Structure formats: structure tokens, C-alpha cells
């Protein structure tokens, strides 16, 4: 980590999760999963609000297309392929935004995996680190696009939640 940014520090957080005013079901799932796993890691619940309940001073995990994102960073969804996403941090915000809401959900799962250390091996086996602190790099600028339009790799007992967490889109 070149420049640390604490999402949770000593079991408390000043961050909120922000979505557009009327998020669809997939974005609501992204919010719920982000809240659930941050709480599993740190025992800290992060409040979720819509874009009309946030100010520029708020520290935020911003999911999908919002006014806050447009004012601070250009995601440019037109240049992201289907199921692709960007993860960008600026020291005060983390923007996770896909070409569509499924891309945003996949971005949340990648954030949880690659930046917070969560792993999903099977529908019943997950590894979640525990810590009073969640610290990431304040200078993330990452774009992820799948190499294949259809991805499938089911294991015994798989379910829709596990498919989503492993970014299988069938």
C-alpha cells in the first residue's frame, strides 16, 4: 500500500455506501454483500444511502452510476465491456462501477476478494479474514474486463450466490 486509506479503523468507520436514487435488485445485492462482508471482517456495519443523502464531504464506497461519481471521477462506462468494471479510489472515496449493474456486482466481489481478502471456494466454504482495521490503497485505478462473454465452472452444490461471487454469468 503506497498511500493507506482506512475504511474501518479500530472497529469504527466514517464511510457510507452510496448508490443511485433507485437502485435495481442487482445493485441492492451488491450493497448487501459489501455490508455483510465488511461486518464479517470488522464487526462494523456501514450504512447505505442513496445519492441524494450524501454530501461531497462524506467518505463513501460508491456503487454504480451516481451524481457523486460524475462529479469526482469519470468512469466512462461506454469503454467497459459487458460484465466489466472499474475500481477507483481517491483517498476519500472508492468507486466501484460496471458497464451495468451486474458489472458493478462483480466489481464488489473483486474488491472483497482482492483488496479485503475474502475467498469463496464452494457455496459452503468461504474464508473471511477478521480485523478491526480495513485499510486499502488510496490510489487504486483498476479496470477489469472478462476475456470470455460466457463463463461457467460449477462445483457440486453450487447456487446462484456462489456463481455471482465467482463471476460465473450463466
Amino acid at each position: 500500500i503506497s498511500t493507506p486509506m482506512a475504511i474501518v479503523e479500530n472497529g469504527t468507520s466514517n464511510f457510507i455506501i452510496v448508490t443511485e436514487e433507485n437502485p435495481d435488485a442487482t445493485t441492492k445485492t451488491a450493497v448487501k454483500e459489501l455490508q455483510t462482508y465488511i461486518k464479517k471482517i470488522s464487526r462494523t456495519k456501514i450504512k447505505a444511502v442513496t445519492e441524494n443523502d450524501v454530501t461531497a464531504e462524506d467518505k463513501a464506497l460508491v456503487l454504480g452510476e451516481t451524481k457523486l461519481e460524475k462529479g469526482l471521477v469519470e468512469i466512462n462506462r461506454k469503454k467497459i465491456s459487458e460484465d466489466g468494471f472499474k475500481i477507483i479510489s481517491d483517498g476519500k472515496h472508492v468507486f466501484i462501477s460496471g458497464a451495468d449493474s451486474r458489472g458493478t456486482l462483480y466489481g464488489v466481489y473483486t474488491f472483497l476478494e482482492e483488496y479485503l481478502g475474502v475467498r469463496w471456494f464452494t457455496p459452503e466454504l468461504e474464508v473471511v479474514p477478521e480485523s478491526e482495521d480495513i485499510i486499502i490503497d488510496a490510489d487504486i485505478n483498476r479496470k477489469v474486463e472478462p476475456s470470455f462473454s460466457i463463463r461457467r465452472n460449477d462445483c457440486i452444490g453450487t447456487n446462484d450466490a456462489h456463481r455471482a461471487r465467482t463471476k460465473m454469468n450463466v
Side-chain angles (χ1 to χ4, degrees), residues 26-96:
T26 304
T27 302
K28 288 177 183 177
T29 298
V31 170
K32 182 179 174 232
E33 292 284 80
L34 191 56
Q35 284 178 313
T36 296
Y37 283 95
I38 287 175
K39 187 169 184 178
K40 283 183 178 188
I41 293 167
S42 66
R43 295 192 175 117
T44 303
K45 178 160 176 144
I46 295 187
K47 179 180 165 184
V49 301
T50 61
E51 61 189 335
N52 291 337
D53 297 322
V54 67
T55 67
E57 291 79 38
D58 288 324
K59 292 182 177 183
L61 301 163
V62 182
L63 305 186
E65 187 172 0
T66 67
K67 294 176 203 170
L68 182 65
E69 169 216 13
K70 287 178 185 171
L72 296 173
V73 67
E74 179 55 45
I75 296 291
N76 199 351
R77 276 165 206 75
K78 292 177 182 156
K79 293 184 180 179
I80 302 174
S81 67
E82 183 180 5
D83 293 347
F85 56 87
K86 287 188 177 184
I87 301 173
I88 298 170
S89 62
D90 66 3
K92 188 175 176 183
H93 305 89
V94 177
F95 299 93
I96 303 173

Side-chain angles (χ1 to χ4, degrees), residues 105-151:
L105 177 63
Y106 290 168
V108 166
Y109 288 133
T110 296
F111 179 75
L112 290 168
E113 267 188 310
E114 296 185 15
Y115 297 95
L116 305 189
V118 177
R119 298 287 186 267
W120 297 278
F121 295 105
T122 71
E124 291 83 31
L125 177 60
E126 66 181 22
V127 174
V128 181
E130 294 180 14
S131 176
E132 289 187 340
D133 302 317
I134 296 177
I135 299 171
I136 65 166
D137 197 324
D139 299 313
I140 298 169
N141 188 353
R142 181 149 181 230
K143 179 179 177 181
V144 175
E145 296 179 292
S147 299
F148 301 95
S149 60
I150 297 175
R151 298 171 307 282

